[in-house]
Amino acid sequence: EISGHDGMVLAALTSDGQEHPAHDVLAAIGAAPRTGLAEAAGLDLAPRAQGGGIAVDTSLRTSDPDIYAAGDVASAHHPLLGTTLRVEHWANALNGGPAAARAMLGREVSYDRIPYFFSDQYDLGLEYSGWAPPGSYDQVIVRGDAGKREFIAFWLKDRRVLAGMNVNVWDVTDPVQQLIRSGAEVDPEALGDPSVPLDSLTP
């Protein structure tokens, strides 16, 4: 519960009865996929623990062979990453829709685009590629100057790049995604050295 007076927040009350003084409140509620129509049609849904959504295979086909789903609502098996993902970003809809259309036309489709999103926050811009949930990586390498907010961070597992995030560093999405897609071992020291071209690290 949020308590206040005359439109001003004074405290946040937690379920254990504690009161925490506060002046501002940030409500980060999030979003949930709207799957009512799919559920009414009898389509399989992904478990909520996996982000929910409509369960689809690598060609974006649902449990009904005549129905496909793409975009934020599709929870697809990712053949490259070996897991099921539902990516909430417009780039996923931009690329997933045409892939589903090709599959509907009978073409061989394996939707394996590297998950991607970007965000701009005032003077900070970032792009993130890959998939590195908590516990999946054993090392984080920073290339550049994090203090100046101009860097690329890489999440690694067994010297293989799982994900990369460039912050105020541009035109590196392609080589970052190539490192992820290659699955090759990289030298962490070279990865963290801005003088070593990123594309030279992909075999």
Side-chain angles (χ1 to χ4, degrees):
E1 179 183 347
I2 304 299
S3 67
H5 181 69
D6 288 337
M8 180 183 293
V9 172
L10 297 176
L13 307 175
T14 55
S15 58
D16 60 6
Q18 293 188 42
E19 183 173 294
H20 304 274
H23 296 291
D24 296 293
V25 175
L26 171 64
I29 297 166
R34 298 187 67 172
T35 57
L37 180 62
E39 192 170 4
L43 302 182
D44 289 348
L45 303 181
R48 188 169 288 184
Q50 293 180 358
I54 302 170
V56 296
D57 63 15
T58 57
S59 70
L60 304 177
R61 185 190 302 260
T62 70
S63 55
D64 183 319
D66 294 325
I67 300 176
Y68 292 75
D72 293 11
V73 76
S75 183
H77 178 75
H78 198 288
L80 178 66
L81 303 176
T83 190
T84 298
L85 296 175
R86 189 175 66 80
V87 179
E88 293 183 357
H89 191 267
W90 63 263
N92 189 41
L94 177 73
N95 298 306
R102 288 191 298 274
M104 289 179 209
L105 292 170
R107 298 184 187 171
E108 192 71 29
V109 171
S110 182
Y111 189 65
D112 65 351
R113 292 187 72 92
I114 300 293
Y116 165 87
F117 73 85
F118 77 88
S119 183
D120 292 311
Q121 306 291 330
Y122 300 99
D123 62 340
L124 185 145
L126 65 88
E127 295 176 294
Y128 178 94
S129 296
W131 179 249
S136 67
Y137 54 90
D138 54 27
Q139 190 174 16
V140 177
I141 300 292
V142 175
R143 177 190 187 100
D145 192 332
K148 291 183 178 177
R149 303 198 308 175
E150 293 181 4
F151 65 94
I152 309 171
F154 295 95
W155 287 261
L156 282 73
K157 174 71 172 179
D158 299 328
R159 297 168 62 102
R160 291 174 170 84
V161 177
L162 302 179
M165 180 179 69
N166 47 300
V167 177
N168 289 338
V169 175
W170 305 111
D171 301 321
V172 295
T173 298
D174 286 345
V176 168
Q177 291 196 2
Q178 287 168 8
L179 281 167
I180 297 166
R181 187 172 291 284
S182 75
E185 289 190 22
V186 296
D187 176 4
E189 187 173 335
L191 188 63
D193 184 349
S195 71
V196 178
L198 282 177
D199 54 12
S200 72
L201 300 174
T202 303

